[in-house]
C-alpha cells in the first residue's frame, strides 16, 4: 500500500536547519509520506502546514499537532501519510 512511495518516491529533505530533527518526505504521483525523528532529549516543534491524514508508525503513544505545528517529543520518530494536495 505504501511501499511504492517509500521505495521509489522522490526524496525531499525537510527542516535541515533544525538541529536534532531528521526529516524527509517521499512523494509519488498519488501519495506523500513524511518520515521525521527527534534525536534530542527535549520536545521540538516544526512547521507542518495542512496536517496529516494518518499515523503509519509512531514509536511513542500519541502525537502533538496543533495550528500547523508538529511537536515531536524527546526521541520520538513518526511516519505520517500527508494530504496529497499540500506541498511542504
Amino acid at each position: 500500500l505504501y511501499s511504492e512511495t517509500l521505495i521509489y518516491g522522490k526524496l525531499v529533505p525537510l527542516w535541515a536547519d533544525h538541529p536534532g530533527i531528521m526529516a524527509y518526505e517521499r512523494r509519488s504521483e498519488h501519495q506523500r509520506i513524511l518520515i521525521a525523528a527527534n534525536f534530542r532529549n527535549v520536545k521540538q516543534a516544526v512547521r507542518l502546514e495542512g496536517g496529516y491524514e494518518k499515523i503509519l508508525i509512531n514509536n511513542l503513544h500519541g502525537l502533538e499537532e496543533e495550528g500547523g505545528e508538529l511537536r515531536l517529543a524527546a526521541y520520538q520518530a513518526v511516519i505520517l501519510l500527508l494530504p496529497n494536495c499540500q506541498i511542504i
Side-chain angles (χ1 to χ4, degrees), residues 4-87:
E4 192 79 15
T5 301
L6 289 169
I7 295 168
Y8 302 110
K10 180 180 177 184
L11 180 74
V12 181
L14 300 172
W15 310 309
D17 59 340
H18 205 296
I21 297 284
M22 186 281 304
Y24 60 93
E25 184 181 320
R26 296 300 298 232
R27 292 181 188 166
S28 69
E29 187 177 334
H30 303 290
Q31 284 182 330
R32 296 174 56 235
I33 297 174
L34 170 68
I35 296 90
N38 178 5
F39 288 95
R40 297 248 170 129
N41 64 351
V42 295
K43 183 186 297 185
Q44 295 199 74
V46 291
R47 201 84 186 129
L48 182 63
E49 297 292 336
Y52 61 90
E53 289 184 7
K54 183 178 181 180
I55 298 173
L56 303 178
I57 295 177
N58 186 355
N59 70 327
L60 300 177
H61 294 287
L63 178 61
E64 289 185 48
E65 187 255 334
E66 184 180 335
E69 209 174 59
L70 182 67
R71 297 180 189 120
L72 295 171
Y75 305 113
Q76 185 170 20
V78 295
I79 300 179
L80 306 174
L81 180 63
L82 300 177
N84 199 35
C85 61
Q86 193 271 320
I87 300 298

